[in-house]
Amino acid sequence: MSRNIFITNLSGHDQEFEIHGWNNNQNVVVGPHQTFTINAPDGSSGAIIALHDGHEGEQAEITKNGWGGNDFIDLSNIVGAGGNMTVQQVNNPATRKGDPLFMQHLNDAWHRADAGTRQALELCVHRDNNDNVTRIDAIKDWPALENFVRTFEDGKTYIGVGAWNGSPGNANDNNQSSAAQGNTDIQVTYNDGDATPPTKPAPSNTTSPPPKSAGSASSSATTVPFPKPTPSTTTTGTATAPRAQTSTNPTPSSPSPATTPSFVPLPESFKGRVQRGTLLPATWAEFQIAADNDGAAHGDISLQQGCDGAATVASTDGSGRFNGFQNDIVSGAPEAAVRYKADGTRALDTTVGNWNAGPNLAAIAWENEQVGQRRAYIVGGSGTDDVASSNKCFPVDFY
Protein backbone atom coordinates (compact mmCIF):
# COMPACT_ATOMS: atom_id res chain seq x y z
CA MET A 1 0.00 0.00 0.00
CA SER A 2 1.16 3.55 -0.68
CA ARG A 3 0.41 6.88 0.93
CA ASN A 4 1.21 10.44 -0.11
CA ILE A 5 3.68 12.95 1.26
CA PHE A 6 2.55 16.52 0.54
CA ILE A 7 5.35 19.13 0.43
CA THR A 8 3.70 22.54 0.69
CA ASN A 9 5.59 25.80 0.15
CA LEU A 10 3.72 28.65 1.87
CA SER A 11 6.41 31.21 1.04
CA GLY A 12 6.27 33.75 -1.74
CA HIS A 13 9.23 32.30 -3.68
CA ASP A 14 10.31 29.05 -5.31
CA GLN A 15 11.83 26.64 -2.81
CA GLU A 16 14.13 23.75 -3.68
CA PHE A 17 14.02 20.50 -1.70
CA GLU A 18 16.46 17.62 -1.69
CA ILE A 19 14.60 14.30 -1.69
CA HIS A 20 16.10 11.15 -0.20
CA GLY A 21 14.32 7.81 -0.49
CA TRP A 22 11.55 8.78 -2.93
CA ASN A 23 11.09 10.55 -6.26
CA ASN A 24 14.14 8.64 -7.58
CA ASN A 25 16.22 10.79 -5.19
CA GLN A 26 15.68 13.78 -7.47
CA ASN A 27 15.43 17.33 -6.11
CA VAL A 28 12.21 19.25 -6.62
CA VAL A 29 11.42 22.96 -6.79
CA VAL A 30 8.02 23.84 -5.35
CA GLY A 31 6.49 27.13 -6.45
CA PRO A 32 5.01 29.76 -4.12
CA HIS A 33 1.85 28.50 -2.39
CA GLN A 34 2.08 25.19 -4.24
CA THR A 35 2.28 21.55 -3.15
CA PHE A 36 4.38 18.72 -4.56
CA THR A 37 3.03 15.21 -3.95
CA ILE A 38 5.26 12.16 -3.47
CA ASN A 39 4.13 8.54 -3.55
CA ALA A 40 5.51 6.80 -0.43
CA PRO A 41 5.02 3.00 -0.21
CA ASP A 42 4.53 1.36 3.16
CA GLY A 43 7.87 0.48 4.73
CA SER A 44 9.77 3.21 2.88
CA SER A 45 11.92 5.82 4.61
CA GLY A 46 13.55 9.03 3.56
CA ALA A 47 14.04 12.74 4.12
CA ILE A 48 12.80 16.04 2.68
CA ILE A 49 15.57 18.66 3.04
CA ALA A 50 15.17 22.37 2.29
CA LEU A 51 18.10 23.91 0.39
CA HIS A 52 19.29 27.46 0.93
CA ASP A 53 21.75 28.79 -1.66
CA GLY A 54 22.84 25.20 -2.21
CA HIS A 55 23.28 24.45 1.51
CA GLU A 56 21.25 21.77 3.28
CA GLY A 57 18.96 23.04 6.00
CA GLU A 58 15.95 21.85 7.96
CA GLN A 59 14.74 18.36 7.10
CA ALA A 60 11.70 16.19 7.69
CA GLU A 61 12.67 12.55 8.30
CA ILE A 62 9.92 10.03 7.65
CA THR A 63 9.36 6.27 7.90
CA LYS A 64 6.03 5.08 6.52
CA ASN A 65 4.04 2.36 8.29
CA GLY A 66 6.77 1.55 10.78
CA TRP A 67 6.78 -0.39 14.04
CA GLY A 68 3.27 -1.34 15.15
CA GLY A 69 1.77 0.04 11.94
CA ASN A 70 2.65 3.63 12.87
CA ASP A 71 4.43 6.32 10.90
CA PHE A 72 7.62 7.73 12.43
CA ILE A 73 8.42 11.37 11.70
CA ASP A 74 10.74 14.01 13.06
CA LEU A 75 12.02 17.45 12.11
CA SER A 76 15.80 17.82 12.27
CA ASN A 77 18.14 20.81 12.14
CA ILE A 78 21.39 18.88 12.61
CA VAL A 79 22.56 19.71 9.06
CA GLY A 80 21.53 23.37 9.22
CA ALA A 81 18.62 25.76 8.88
CA GLY A 82 17.53 28.65 6.70
CA GLY A 83 13.74 28.49 6.88
CA ASN A 84 10.85 27.10 8.88
CA MET A 85 9.51 23.57 8.40
CA THR A 86 7.05 21.27 10.14
CA VAL A 87 5.99 17.68 9.50
CA GLN A 88 2.85 15.89 10.70
CA GLN A 89 0.20 13.44 9.66
CA VAL A 90 -2.39 15.20 7.51
CA ASN A 91 -4.99 17.06 9.60
CA ASN A 92 -3.55 15.66 12.86
CA PRO A 93 -1.72 18.49 14.67
CA ALA A 94 -1.11 16.21 17.68
CA THR A 95 1.59 14.48 15.60
CA ARG A 96 3.35 17.71 14.53
CA LYS A 97 7.14 17.91 14.78
CA GLY A 98 9.19 21.06 14.32
CA ASP A 99 8.94 24.72 15.30
CA PRO A 100 6.87 26.70 12.75
CA LEU A 101 8.79 29.86 13.74
CA PHE A 102 12.29 28.41 14.14
CA MET A 103 14.10 31.17 12.23
CA GLN A 104 12.27 33.95 14.09
CA HIS A 105 13.22 32.40 17.42
CA LEU A 106 16.80 31.93 16.16
CA ASN A 107 17.04 35.57 15.13
CA ASP A 108 15.65 36.80 18.46
CA ALA A 109 18.16 34.66 20.36
CA TRP A 110 21.00 35.96 18.20
CA HIS A 111 20.16 39.59 18.94
CA ARG A 112 19.96 38.80 22.68
CA ALA A 113 23.28 36.91 22.73
CA ASP A 114 26.26 38.39 24.55
CA ALA A 115 29.48 39.36 22.80
CA GLY A 116 31.27 36.14 23.73
CA THR A 117 28.51 33.94 22.31
CA ARG A 118 28.34 35.95 19.09
CA GLN A 119 32.09 35.71 18.64
CA ALA A 120 32.04 31.93 19.14
CA LEU A 121 29.31 31.60 16.49
CA GLU A 122 30.65 34.15 14.02
CA LEU A 123 31.66 31.59 11.39
CA CYS A 124 28.54 29.39 11.51
CA VAL A 125 25.72 31.93 11.85
CA HIS A 126 25.18 33.78 8.57
CA ARG A 127 23.49 37.20 8.57
CA ASP A 128 22.31 39.90 6.19
CA ASN A 129 23.41 43.55 6.21
CA ASN A 130 21.03 44.25 9.11
CA ASP A 131 22.61 41.50 11.25
CA ASN A 132 19.51 39.32 10.91
CA VAL A 133 20.19 35.58 10.69
CA THR A 134 19.63 34.11 7.22
CA ARG A 135 21.11 30.64 7.69
CA ILE A 136 23.11 28.49 10.11
CA ASP A 137 25.61 25.76 9.29
CA ALA A 138 25.28 22.12 10.34
CA ILE A 139 24.70 22.02 14.10
CA LYS A 140 26.44 18.64 14.27
CA ASP A 141 29.72 20.32 13.27
CA TRP A 142 29.58 23.15 15.81
CA PRO A 143 29.17 22.20 19.52
CA ALA A 144 28.83 25.87 20.48
CA LEU A 145 26.01 26.23 17.96
CA GLU A 146 24.22 23.20 19.40
CA ASN A 147 24.41 24.71 22.88
CA PHE A 148 23.10 28.02 21.55
CA VAL A 149 20.16 26.48 19.69
CA ARG A 150 19.18 24.46 22.73
CA THR A 151 18.58 27.70 24.66
CA PHE A 152 15.42 28.32 22.63
CA GLU A 153 14.59 25.10 20.74
CA ASP A 154 15.32 22.22 23.11
CA GLY A 155 12.48 19.70 22.81
CA LYS A 156 10.98 21.34 19.71
CA THR A 157 13.20 19.84 16.99
CA TYR A 158 16.06 17.37 16.53
CA ILE A 159 19.17 19.41 17.38
CA GLY A 160 22.01 16.98 18.16
CA VAL A 161 23.02 13.72 16.53
CA GLY A 162 21.11 11.63 19.10
CA ALA A 163 22.21 8.24 20.39
CA TRP A 164 25.56 7.66 18.70
CA ASN A 165 28.92 5.96 19.27
CA GLY A 166 28.05 4.77 22.75
CA SER A 167 26.47 8.07 23.84
CA PRO A 168 22.79 8.05 24.83
CA GLY A 169 22.34 11.41 23.16
CA ASN A 170 19.93 14.08 24.36
CA ALA A 171 16.61 12.77 25.70
CA ASN A 172 14.66 15.66 24.16
CA ASP A 173 16.19 14.85 20.77
CA ASN A 174 15.44 11.14 21.08
CA ASN A 175 11.82 11.94 21.95
CA GLN A 176 11.44 13.66 18.58
CA SER A 177 11.42 10.23 16.94
CA SER A 178 8.34 8.99 18.79
CA ALA A 179 5.66 7.21 16.79
CA ALA A 180 2.79 9.05 15.14
CA GLN A 181 -0.76 7.64 15.06
CA GLY A 182 -1.22 4.88 12.51
CA ASN A 183 -0.37 5.05 8.81
CA THR A 184 -1.70 8.08 6.94
CA ASP A 185 -0.69 10.75 4.43
CA ILE A 186 2.09 13.08 5.63
CA GLN A 187 2.15 16.88 5.41
CA VAL A 188 5.51 18.70 5.17
CA THR A 189 5.16 22.49 5.30
CA TYR A 190 7.80 25.15 4.53
CA ASN A 191 7.66 28.91 4.99
CA ASP A 192 9.89 31.89 5.66
CA GLY A 193 7.20 32.94 8.12
CA ASP A 194 4.82 30.72 10.06
CA ALA A 195 5.08 27.10 8.85
CA THR A 196 1.95 25.89 10.62
CA PRO A 197 0.42 23.41 8.14
CA PRO A 198 -2.74 24.18 6.20
CA THR A 199 -5.86 22.32 7.30
CA LYS A 200 -5.84 20.57 3.94
CA PRO A 201 -2.90 20.34 1.50
CA ALA A 202 -2.76 23.02 -1.17
CA PRO A 203 -3.53 22.03 -4.80
CA SER A 204 -0.92 19.58 -6.03
CA ASN A 205 1.15 20.48 -9.06
CA THR A 206 3.12 17.24 -9.49
CA THR A 207 2.97 13.64 -8.38
CA SER A 208 6.05 11.43 -8.42
CA PRO A 209 5.76 8.04 -10.17
CA PRO A 210 5.52 4.82 -8.17
CA PRO A 211 8.68 2.69 -7.93
CA LYS A 212 9.41 -0.05 -10.48
CA SER A 213 9.39 -3.74 -9.52
CA ALA A 214 12.09 -6.35 -10.19
CA GLY A 215 14.91 -8.18 -8.46
CA SER A 216 15.04 -10.69 -5.63
CA ALA A 217 16.88 -11.69 -2.48
CA SER A 218 17.37 -14.98 -0.70
CA SER A 219 17.77 -15.97 2.92
CA SER A 220 18.55 -19.24 4.63
CA ALA A 221 18.57 -20.43 8.22
CA THR A 222 21.31 -22.79 9.36
CA THR A 223 21.51 -25.16 12.34
CA VAL A 224 21.45 -23.15 15.55
CA PRO A 225 24.26 -23.87 18.08
CA PHE A 226 22.25 -22.82 21.17
CA PRO A 227 18.56 -22.96 22.13
CA LYS A 228 16.18 -20.57 20.42
CA PRO A 229 12.88 -20.77 18.53
CA THR A 230 12.94 -22.23 15.02
CA PRO A 231 14.31 -19.38 12.86
CA SER A 232 12.08 -17.55 10.44
CA THR A 233 12.69 -14.54 8.28
CA THR A 234 10.76 -11.31 8.11
CA THR A 235 11.34 -8.53 5.63
CA THR A 236 10.79 -5.00 6.86
CA GLY A 237 11.67 -1.34 6.56
CA THR A 238 14.64 0.42 4.97
CA ALA A 239 18.33 -0.36 5.18
CA THR A 240 19.37 3.01 6.51
CA ALA A 241 20.63 2.96 10.11
CA PRO A 242 17.69 3.94 12.33
CA ARG A 243 17.63 6.34 15.23
CA ALA A 244 14.44 5.64 17.13
CA GLN A 245 12.13 4.74 14.26
CA THR A 246 13.58 1.31 14.43
CA SER A 247 11.57 -1.59 13.08
CA THR A 248 8.72 -1.70 10.61
CA ASN A 249 5.59 -3.67 9.91
CA PRO A 250 6.54 -7.18 8.68
CA THR A 251 5.69 -7.63 4.98
CA PRO A 252 5.76 -10.51 4.30
CA SER A 253 6.81 -13.31 6.70
CA SER A 254 8.54 -16.41 5.33
CA PRO A 255 8.81 -19.44 7.67
CA SER A 256 12.11 -21.29 7.20
CA PRO A 257 12.81 -24.55 9.09
CA ALA A 258 16.33 -25.03 10.46
CA THR A 259 18.94 -25.86 7.75
CA THR A 260 16.32 -25.29 5.02
CA PRO A 261 16.80 -22.31 2.65
CA SER A 262 13.84 -20.05 1.91
CA PHE A 263 13.80 -17.88 -1.21
CA VAL A 264 11.99 -14.53 -0.97
CA PRO A 265 11.44 -12.56 -4.22
CA LEU A 266 11.48 -8.80 -3.66
CA PRO A 267 10.94 -5.75 -5.89
CA GLU A 268 14.02 -3.92 -7.12
CA SER A 269 12.87 -0.89 -5.12
CA PHE A 270 13.09 -2.82 -1.85
CA LYS A 271 15.27 -1.47 0.95
CA GLY A 272 14.79 -3.46 4.12
CA ARG A 273 15.75 -5.92 6.78
CA VAL A 274 15.52 -9.60 7.61
CA GLN A 275 15.25 -10.85 11.19
CA ARG A 276 14.13 -13.94 13.09
CA GLY A 277 10.42 -13.64 13.78
CA THR A 278 8.83 -10.33 14.70
CA LEU A 279 10.12 -9.60 18.22
CA LEU A 280 12.96 -7.37 19.33
CA PRO A 281 15.78 -7.44 20.29
CA ALA A 282 16.93 -9.16 17.09
CA THR A 283 19.88 -9.36 14.74
CA TRP A 284 19.16 -7.58 11.46
CA ALA A 285 20.47 -8.32 7.97
CA GLU A 286 19.98 -5.00 6.18
CA PHE A 287 19.99 -4.69 2.41
CA GLN A 288 18.70 -2.98 -0.68
CA ILE A 289 18.13 -4.78 -3.96
CA ALA A 290 19.32 -2.11 -6.41
CA ALA A 291 21.40 0.85 -5.20
CA ASP A 292 21.03 4.15 -7.04
CA ASN A 293 24.76 4.56 -7.68
CA ASP A 294 25.68 1.16 -9.17
CA GLY A 295 22.46 -0.89 -9.49
CA ALA A 296 23.89 -3.68 -7.31
CA ALA A 297 22.43 -5.17 -4.16
CA HIS A 298 24.15 -4.00 -0.97
CA GLY A 299 23.88 -5.55 2.48
CA ASP A 300 25.29 -5.67 6.00
CA ILE A 301 24.62 -7.11 9.46
CA SER A 302 23.38 -4.79 12.21
CA LEU A 303 23.23 -5.28 15.99
CA GLN A 304 21.85 -1.82 16.68
CA GLN A 305 18.40 -3.13 17.58
CA GLY A 306 19.76 -6.12 19.45
CA CYS A 307 21.27 -9.52 18.79
CA ASP A 308 19.51 -12.88 19.07
CA GLY A 309 22.25 -14.83 17.31
CA ALA A 310 24.91 -14.68 14.64
CA ALA A 311 24.19 -13.83 11.00
CA THR A 312 26.09 -13.43 7.74
CA VAL A 313 25.42 -11.94 4.32
CA ALA A 314 27.35 -12.81 1.16
CA SER A 315 27.44 -12.01 -2.55
CA THR A 316 26.42 -14.53 -5.24
CA ASP A 317 28.05 -12.83 -8.24
CA GLY A 318 31.42 -14.57 -7.88
CA SER A 319 33.12 -11.64 -6.14
CA GLY A 320 33.47 -13.54 -2.85
CA ARG A 321 32.25 -10.65 -0.68
CA PHE A 322 31.13 -11.73 2.78
CA ASN A 323 30.51 -10.15 6.17
CA GLY A 324 28.93 -10.81 9.54
CA PHE A 325 29.87 -13.34 12.21
CA GLN A 326 29.14 -16.98 13.05
CA ASN A 327 30.02 -17.31 16.75
CA ASP A 328 27.50 -17.41 19.60
CA ILE A 329 27.83 -14.14 21.54
CA VAL A 330 24.48 -14.33 23.37
CA SER A 331 24.66 -17.28 25.77
CA GLY A 332 27.87 -16.13 27.49
CA ALA A 333 27.10 -12.41 27.55
CA PRO A 334 27.02 -10.50 30.87
CA GLU A 335 23.49 -10.06 32.24
CA ALA A 336 23.83 -6.29 32.06
CA ALA A 337 23.96 -6.60 28.26
CA VAL A 338 20.89 -8.84 28.02
CA ARG A 339 17.23 -8.07 27.36
CA TYR A 340 14.71 -10.92 27.13
CA LYS A 341 12.14 -10.89 24.35
CA ALA A 342 8.44 -10.96 25.11
CA ASP A 343 8.48 -14.73 24.52
CA GLY A 344 11.32 -15.24 27.03
CA THR A 345 14.12 -15.68 24.48
CA ARG A 346 17.50 -14.37 25.66
CA ALA A 347 19.03 -11.65 23.46
CA LEU A 348 21.49 -8.76 23.62
CA ASP A 349 19.90 -5.35 24.12
CA THR A 350 19.79 -2.42 21.67
CA THR A 351 22.97 -0.36 21.22
CA VAL A 352 21.21 2.80 19.96
CA GLY A 353 17.98 2.89 21.97
CA ASN A 354 14.33 2.48 21.07
CA TRP A 355 10.90 2.64 22.74
CA ASN A 356 12.03 0.14 25.41
CA ALA A 357 15.11 1.97 26.68
CA GLY A 358 18.19 3.95 25.72
CA PRO A 359 21.46 2.48 24.44
CA ASN A 360 22.79 -0.42 26.51
CA LEU A 361 26.45 0.38 27.18
CA ALA A 362 27.20 -3.14 28.41
CA ALA A 363 25.89 -4.59 25.14
CA ILE A 364 28.02 -2.13 23.17
CA ALA A 365 31.17 -3.10 25.06
CA TRP A 366 30.48 -6.86 24.76
CA GLU A 367 29.71 -6.72 21.03
CA ASN A 368 32.78 -4.61 20.30
CA GLU A 369 34.86 -7.23 22.14
CA GLN A 370 33.23 -10.27 20.52
CA VAL A 371 32.43 -9.01 16.99
CA GLY A 372 33.72 -5.51 16.29
CA GLN A 373 32.28 -2.68 14.21
CA ARG A 374 33.91 -3.88 10.99
CA ARG A 375 31.87 -7.10 10.91
CA ALA A 376 28.53 -5.66 12.09
CA TYR A 377 27.00 -2.27 12.83
CA ILE A 378 27.13 -1.81 16.59
CA VAL A 379 26.93 1.97 16.86
CA GLY A 380 27.09 4.69 14.26
CA GLY A 381 26.65 4.60 10.52
CA SER A 382 30.16 3.82 9.31
CA GLY A 383 33.06 1.41 9.78
CA THR A 384 31.23 -1.77 8.71
CA ASP A 385 32.26 -3.47 5.48
CA ASP A 386 29.55 -3.36 2.82
CA VAL A 387 28.70 -6.51 0.83
CA ALA A 388 27.72 -5.84 -2.79
CA SER A 389 26.30 -8.35 -5.27
CA SER A 390 25.85 -7.21 -8.86
CA ASN A 391 23.23 -9.90 -9.61
CA LYS A 392 20.89 -8.50 -6.93
CA CYS A 393 20.73 -11.69 -4.85
CA PHE A 394 22.03 -12.46 -1.34
CA PRO A 395 22.21 -15.56 0.84
CA VAL A 396 21.51 -14.47 4.43
CA ASP A 397 22.38 -17.10 7.06
CA PHE A 398 21.16 -17.02 10.66
CA TYR A 399 22.95 -19.21 13.22
Side-chain angles (χ1 to χ4, degrees):
M1 183 176 180
S2 292
R3 299 285 186 173
N4 291 321
I5 298 175
F6 302 109
I7 307 173
T8 299
N9 175 20
L10 295 181
S11 78
H13 58 81
D14 289 345
Q15 177 60 46
E16 184 175 5
F17 297 92
E18 189 175 286
I19 310 296
H20 291 183
W22 304 288
N23 199 49
N24 296 317
N25 294 315
Q26 298 298 306
N27 289 11
V28 298
V29 176
V30 182
H33 309 290
Q34 294 293 315
T35 292
F36 185 88
T37 305
I38 289 177
N39 176 269
D42 285 354
S44 62
S45 292
I48 314 297
I49 308 173
L51 296 179
H52 304 284
D53 298 324
H55 298 277
E56 291 181 333
E58 54 282 356
Q59 61 179 306
E61 301 173 313
I62 303 165
T63 293
K64 289 299 301 158
N65 195 24
W67 176 258
N70 296 310
D71 297 327
F72 286 80
I73 55 178
D74 68 67
L75 201 289
S76 171
N77 291 105
I78 64 173
V79 298
N84 301 320
M85 183 184 285
T86 58
V87 57
Q88 68 173 59
Q89 293 179 318
V90 167
N91 294 334
N92 189 353
T95 64
R96 185 176 305 158
K97 303 290 180 66
D99 181 358
L101 293 172
F102 177 92
M103 290 300 293
Q104 284 71 22
H105 294 151
L106 171 62
N107 195 54
D108 289 344
W110 173 256
H111 286 292
R112 294 194 306 267
D114 58 38
T117 299
R118 291 168 66 95
Q119 182 177 6
L121 302 176
E122 178 71 24
L123 297 179
C124 58
V125 176
H126 304 272
R127 290 96 61 202
D128 61 18
N129 293 333
N130 296 317
D131 197 39
N132 291 317
V133 180
T134 59
R135 182 178 65 82
I136 57 174
D137 290 334
I139 295 174
K140 65 183 178 66
D141 296 332
W142 296 87
L145 181 59
E146 177 178 341
N147 293 335
F148 174 66
V149 174
R150 289 201 186 281
T151 64
F152 61 91
E153 284 295 311
D154 199 27
K156 298 180 183 179
T157 180
Y158 227 111
I159 299 170
V161 297
W164 186 266
N165 199 26
S167 168
N170 181 281
N172 286 333
D173 286 350
N174 295 335
N175 289 339
Q176 296 303 307
S177 294
S178 58
Q181 300 171 7
N183 174 25
T184 71
D185 292 340
I186 300 295
Q187 174 69 53
V188 177
T189 306
Y190 174 87
N191 201 358
D192 298 329
D194 191 341
T196 299
T199 302
K200 295 181 179 179
S204 178
N205 57 358
T206 313
T207 301
S208 61
K212 60 183 179 178
S213 295
S216 64
S218 66
S219 64
S220 61
T222 63
T223 304
V224 295
F226 57 97
K228 62 164 64 69
T230 300
S232 64
T233 60
T234 302
T235 56
T236 63
T238 83
T240 56
R243 202 147 52 206
Q245 59 268 44
T246 49
S247 180
T248 56
N249 199 34
T251 309
S253 178
S254 175
S256 180
T259 73
T260 303
S262 176
F263 181 78
V264 182
L266 296 168
E268 193 169 299
S269 60
F270 182 85
K271 298 180 181 181
R273 314 176 183 112
V274 179
Q275 71 172 68
R276 295 177 182 86
T278 60
L279 299 177
L280 291 182
T283 306
W284 281 357
E286 305 177 307
F287 55 90
Q288 57 180 319
I289 301 301
D292 294 328
N293 60 343
D294 62 3
H298 289 260
D300 61 71
I301 301 301
S302 173
L303 307 181
Q304 292 183 328
Q305 286 305 320
C307 173
D308 59 355
T312 59
V313 60
S315 63
T316 56
D317 61 1
S319 62
R321 296 184 178 93
F322 175 92
N323 206 8
F325 63 104
Q326 298 168 304
N327 53 309
D328 169 16
I329 67 170
V330 177
S331 60
E335 285 300 316
V338 172
R339 177 179 289 273
Y340 289 87
K341 298 187 185 186
D343 64 1
T345 304
R346 179 184 175 93
L348 299 182
D349 203 1
T350 174
T351 62
V352 296
N354 55 31
W355 53 93
N356 284 322
N360 186 311
L361 301 184
I364 294 171
W366 177 253
E367 289 168 7
N368 275 320
E369 176 185 328
Q370 299 294 315
V371 178
Q373 181 81 4
R374 184 169 183 178
R375 290 198 289 163
Y377 280 106
I378 298 171
V379 292
S382 62
T384 303
D385 290 346
D386 171 77
V387 175
S389 191
S390 61
N391 61 356
K392 302 181 177 64
C393 190
F394 282 131
V396 177
D397 290 328
F398 290 94
Y399 298 83

